[in-house]
């Protein structure tokens, strides 16, 4: 399948996936190679084993060692690329989200966007953010409207309740947008729900406040194939702009919450299904992904034609 499309005036079919160490990065790298792109896979040293599992032709794959705090390593990976797919992966020596992770993620985002601005061939940046950069607000329970891309998480709220993942994602994304606008970079962000991948566990920092997100009707999840398709869609479609909430499932029924809990703690004893009235209740969805879904309709129809 060729990467060129009617809606994408492509000056180069070379793109960079950074960081390609994670499950999304690896899958995205594979999908881009299948679509005919030349891919610069920039990854931290501990992520190389995943790329060894790729099943597609690797002739157009170039691997770069990445240190998000080494500016030159970022520039080297971006050289000659028309696009960047950026997703932050915590450094191996600091894997947990705590109050200091925001500084780490913000510095990495600043370095990457600054390097993009200095890469003459760069046409478009797809910045992977999170739905947690949207949903945490003091007024979230009193809002009449659904949460969507126009809304931002309140960073002071995050600090007060120690929502470090949401704080990091919000500050990093705001940093990226500020730089993109200042340096006239064409950027879109994908604000992903909880990724339902093989690495999912109860320790995932996204899950801090999961009970409240469930009660608020904003606990959303996304599978890796849908998330990767969304990244490619917003990159290839010249009409894409701004932020895109990305999820393909919402946890708003008791049985959904129980099923998620089972996946997070598979060793925990299971309880028989209850038929209580509360268990039959459906919580109203209060978050919208209409903006992305509208864009994805054309993308999926074109993909099926190829």
């Amino acid at each position: 399948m060729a990467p060129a499309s009617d809606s994408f005036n492509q000056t180069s079919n070379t793109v960079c996936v950074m960081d390609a160490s994670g499950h999304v990065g690896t899958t995205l790298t594979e999908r881009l190679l299948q679509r005919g792109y030349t891919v610069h896979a920039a990854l931290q040293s501990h992520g190389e084993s995943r790329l060894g599992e790729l099943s597609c032709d690797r002739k157009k794959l170039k691997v770069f060692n990445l240190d998000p705090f080494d500016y030159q390593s970022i520039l080297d990976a971006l050289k000659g690329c028309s696009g960047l797919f950026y997703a932050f992966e915590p450094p191996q020596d600091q894997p947990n989200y705590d109050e200091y992770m925001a500084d780490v993620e913000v510095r990495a985002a600043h370095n990457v966007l600054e390097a993009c601005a200095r890469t003459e061939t760069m046409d478009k940046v797809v910045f992977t953010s999170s739905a947690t950069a949207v949903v945490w607000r003091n007024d979230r329970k009193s809002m009449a409207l659904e949460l969507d891309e126009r809304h931002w998480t309140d960073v002071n709220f995050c600090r007060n309740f120690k929502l470090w993942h949401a704080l990091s994602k919000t500050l990093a994304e705001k940093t990226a947008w500020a730089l993109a606008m200042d340096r006239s970079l064409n950027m879109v962000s994908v604000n992903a729900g909880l990724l339902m991948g093989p690495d999912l566990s109860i320790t995932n920092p996204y899950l801090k406040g999961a009970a409240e997100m469930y009660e608020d009707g904003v606990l959303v999840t996304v599978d890796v194939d849908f998330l990767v398709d969304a990244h490619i869609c917003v990159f290839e479609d010249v009409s894409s702009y701004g932020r895109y909430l990305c999820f393909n499932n919402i946890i708003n029924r008791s049985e959904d919450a129980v099923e998620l809990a089972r996946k997070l703690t598979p060793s925990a004893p299971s309880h028989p299904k209850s038929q209580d009235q509360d268990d039959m209740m459906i919580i109203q969805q209060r978050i919208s992904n209409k903006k992305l879904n509208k864009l994805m309709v054309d993308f999926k129809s074109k993909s099926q034609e190829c």
Side-chain angles (χ1 to χ4, degrees):
M1 185 185 297
S5 70
D6 292 337
S7 62
F8 184 45
N9 181 17
Q10 202 167 16
T11 58
S12 166
N13 70 337
T14 301
V15 295
C16 180
V17 177
M18 181 187 297
D19 187 327
S21 307
H23 186 49
V24 174
T26 306
T27 308
L28 181 56
T29 297
E30 184 169 38
R31 195 74 57 82
L32 289 165
L33 288 169
Q34 289 169 348
R35 291 176 74 83
Y37 287 95
T38 295
V39 179
H40 289 191
L43 65 167
Q44 298 175 63
S45 57
H46 62 282
E48 292 183 23
S49 59
R50 283 189 186 269
L51 285 181
E53 300 168 4
L54 294 182
S55 59
C56 56
D57 185 356
R58 298 162 61 102
K59 290 177 184 174
K60 292 188 174 183
L61 174 66
K62 297 180 181 179
V63 178
F64 292 80
N65 290 323
L66 171 69
D67 178 349
F69 310 111
D70 176 1
Y71 191 65
Q72 191 59 48
S73 77
I74 301 170
L75 283 172
D76 290 345
L78 293 177
K79 188 175 181 180
C81 291
S82 65
L84 168 67
F85 297 88
Y86 174 73
F88 175 78
E89 288 285 335
Q92 195 171 22
D93 60 354
Q94 193 177 356
N96 300 316
Y97 272 81
D98 56 24
E99 58 191 303
Y100 306 108
M101 184 59 82
D103 290 336
V104 175
E105 192 160 350
V106 165
R107 276 196 299 139
H110 183 278
N111 289 345
V112 169
L113 267 293
E114 184 62 40
C116 286
R118 292 176 181 237
T119 301
E120 291 183 0
T121 54
M122 186 59 60
D123 286 335
K124 197 169 194 177
V125 178
V126 179
F127 186 94
T128 308
S129 185
S130 173
T132 59
V134 173
V135 301
W136 290 111
R137 302 159 55 92
N138 264 318
D139 62 352
R140 67 191 196 282
K141 292 183 183 293
S142 60
M143 288 178 60
L145 300 174
E146 287 182 322
L147 287 168
D148 61 22
E149 292 81 2
R150 294 168 294 179
H151 298 105
W152 283 91
T153 279
D154 182 335
V155 294
N156 291 324
F157 184 91
C158 292
R159 289 191 178 100
N160 290 340
F161 292 94
K162 300 181 178 179
L163 297 163
W164 305 129
H165 180 270
L167 178 68
S168 294
K169 295 301 178 187
T170 304
L171 290 176
E173 189 189 344
K174 284 193 169 187
T175 296
W177 277 118
L179 250 173
M181 287 187 275
D182 183 59
R183 304 301 296 273
S184 299
L185 279 169
N186 180 14
M187 187 181 104
V188 292
S189 70
V190 176
N191 294 71
L194 175 67
L195 180 63
M196 302 300 288
D199 301 331
L200 181 64
S201 73
I202 194 69
T203 60
N204 190 306
Y206 186 109
L207 290 163
K208 181 72 182 290
E212 289 79 7
M213 285 190 279
Y214 171 69
E215 291 167 4
D216 292 345
V218 297
L219 180 54
V220 290
T221 67
V222 64
D223 63 59
V224 69
D225 288 330
F226 187 86
L227 182 56
V228 165
D229 279 350
H231 277 73
I232 296 172
C233 172
V234 299
F235 177 68
E236 292 187 353
D237 195 319
V238 293
S239 71
S240 65
Y241 68 96
R243 309 169 83 202
Y244 287 89
L245 273 163
C246 179
F247 57 91
N248 59 349
N249 186 45
I250 181 160
I251 310 295
N252 64 345
R253 299 181 303 167
S254 178
E255 61 189 272
D256 298 332
V258 169
E259 184 59 32
L260 177 60
R262 284 200 190 104
K263 289 177 181 175
L264 296 171
T265 53
S267 59
S270 59
H271 299 284
K273 286 188 177 181
S274 167
Q275 295 299 321
D276 288 352
Q277 195 67 30
D278 287 348
D279 293 334
M280 307 297 288
M281 184 177 68
I282 298 177
I283 295 172
Q284 181 182 355
Q285 178 174 336
R286 300 191 64 245
I287 187 169
S288 171
N289 58 351
K290 291 175 185 174
K291 184 182 175 188
L292 176 64
N293 287 347
K294 187 176 179 181
L295 207 66
M296 291 281 283
V297 169
D298 289 339
F299 176 77
K300 287 180 178 177
S301 63
K302 285 173 184 172
S303 295
Q304 289 167 358
E305 288 170 6
C306 295

